[in-house]
């Protein structure tokens, strides 16, 4: 399933990579989410009976994905962003893994393609999670992104899991629910998904809305009833999300000190529910992957780094 919005420069490469799959038995659902450029025209140039184009008014990434889920009929669903592309054996690798291990979720490695068109492959061991399978995500063995994964569709339909519309970082508010209902998760060591880094992505440009949306999702996590209370890494998972939101308060240009203190107080109150079973946790993207002792020390290091902002 591919959500499309104003990506006329990239979408043809994405669709072409999907239609060239070695695995042939699939339906390609593309949702044009109210694009104002020629994205729809680019899509209409393709002629393939597996391709289904849905044109709708703009609902955002979550709304486009939810439309795709609604129209999907296959046993599995995989999400591919319209400015990314996949290898020709992407589906074959994941379908074979799903069948061999009876997996509910199969996740492959991504290859990061930077603005200079350089390829950065990540190392990852092949792993199978059978007991407490969601720890694959909660323990950060797997990524939080929706793309690059093959998911049994009935997990989403049976438990009415949808992507939250009108919010940034929608994967944060969705993927933990999907993994919580998985019995077997397979992490492949194959790099079959090519993730394109583009300027203007919300990954790099922080706004106050990003902080508020993360707080919204963390509150939902705190109120969420897990399928089991035996997960090893759930508290770690939520605390890292909280720390990520705290770090965002230092990366927004138009935030006042008063606003920052307000958000940090809220986030600290949300953290009280979670007792970290491990003494250390990794802090990425902020302190050069340093390992910091305890939550407050991590925040102290962050505040020193961004002193004066």
């Amino acid at each position: 399933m591919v959500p499309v919005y104003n990506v006329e420069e990239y979408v043809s490469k994405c669709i072409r990579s999907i239609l060239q799959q070695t695995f042939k038995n699939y339906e390609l659902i593309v949702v044009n989410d109210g694009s104002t450029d020629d994205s729809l025209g680019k899509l209409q140039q393709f002629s393939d009976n597996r391709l289904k184009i849905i044109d709708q008014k703009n609902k955002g990434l979550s709304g486009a994905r939810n439309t795709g889920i609604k129209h999907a009929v296959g046993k599995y669903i995989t999400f591919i962003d319209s400015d990314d592309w996949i290898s020709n054996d992407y589906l074959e690798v994941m379908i074979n893994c799903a069948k061999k291990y009876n997996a509910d979720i199969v996740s492959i490695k991504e290859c990061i393609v930077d603005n200079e068109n350089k390829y950065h492959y990540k190392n990852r061991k092949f792993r199978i999670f059978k007991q407490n399978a969601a720890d694959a995500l909660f323990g950060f063995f797997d990524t939080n992104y929706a793309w690059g994964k093959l998911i049994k569709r009935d997990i989403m339909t049976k438990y009415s899991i949808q992507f939250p519309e009108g919010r940034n970082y929608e994967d944060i508010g969705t993927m933990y629910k999907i993994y919580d209902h998985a019995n077997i998760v397979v992490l492949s060591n194959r790099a079959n998904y090519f993730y394109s880094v583009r300027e203007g992505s919300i990954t790099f440009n922080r706004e106050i809305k990003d902080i508020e949306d993360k707080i919204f999702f963390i509150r939902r996590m705190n109120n969420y009833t897990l399928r089991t209370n035996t997960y090893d890494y759930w508290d770690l998972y939520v605390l890292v999300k909280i720390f990520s939101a705290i770090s965002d308060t230092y990366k927004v240009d138009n935030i006042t000190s008063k606003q920052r203190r307000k958000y940090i107080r809220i986030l600290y109150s949300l953290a009280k529910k979670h007792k970290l079973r491990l003494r250390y946790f990794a802090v990425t993207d902020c302190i050069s992957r340093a390992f910091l002792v305890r939550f407050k020390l991590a925040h102290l290091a962050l505040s020193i780094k961004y002193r004066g902002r």
Side-chain angles (χ1 to χ4, degrees), residues 13-27:
K13 183 175 183 179
C14 174
I15 300 304
R16 193 176 300 113
S17 72
I18 300 171
L19 295 177
Q20 293 174 347
Q21 292 296 294
T22 54
F23 180 85
K24 304 297 184 182
N25 185 22
Y26 65 89
E27 179 182 46

Side-chain angles (χ1 to χ4, degrees), residues 204 206 243-253 255 257 260 264 283-288 298-309:
F204 302 103
R206 301 296 194 276
F243 186 80
S244 172
I246 289 176
S247 72
D248 282 353
T249 68
Y250 292 89
K251 298 176 182 179
V252 175
D253 291 331
I255 193 172
S257 297
R260 180 183 294 117
I264 289 174
V283 180
T284 61
D285 301 326
C286 306
I287 320 293
S288 302
H299 179 204
L300 175 62
L302 186 67
S303 63
I304 292 173
K305 178 179 179 180
Y306 290 98
R307 181 176 293 167
R309 291 198 64 178

Side-chain angles (χ1 to χ4, degrees), residues 42-67:
K42 297 290 185 181
L43 294 172
Q44 292 172 337
Q45 292 178 3
F46 290 93
S47 178
D48 193 295
N49 57 13
R50 295 169 299 182
L51 174 60
K52 182 177 183 179
I53 301 173
I54 301 171
D55 189 28
Q56 68 178 27
K57 293 182 179 180
N58 181 257
K59 294 183 179 181
L61 176 58
S62 290
R65 285 177 175 170
N66 290 337
T67 297

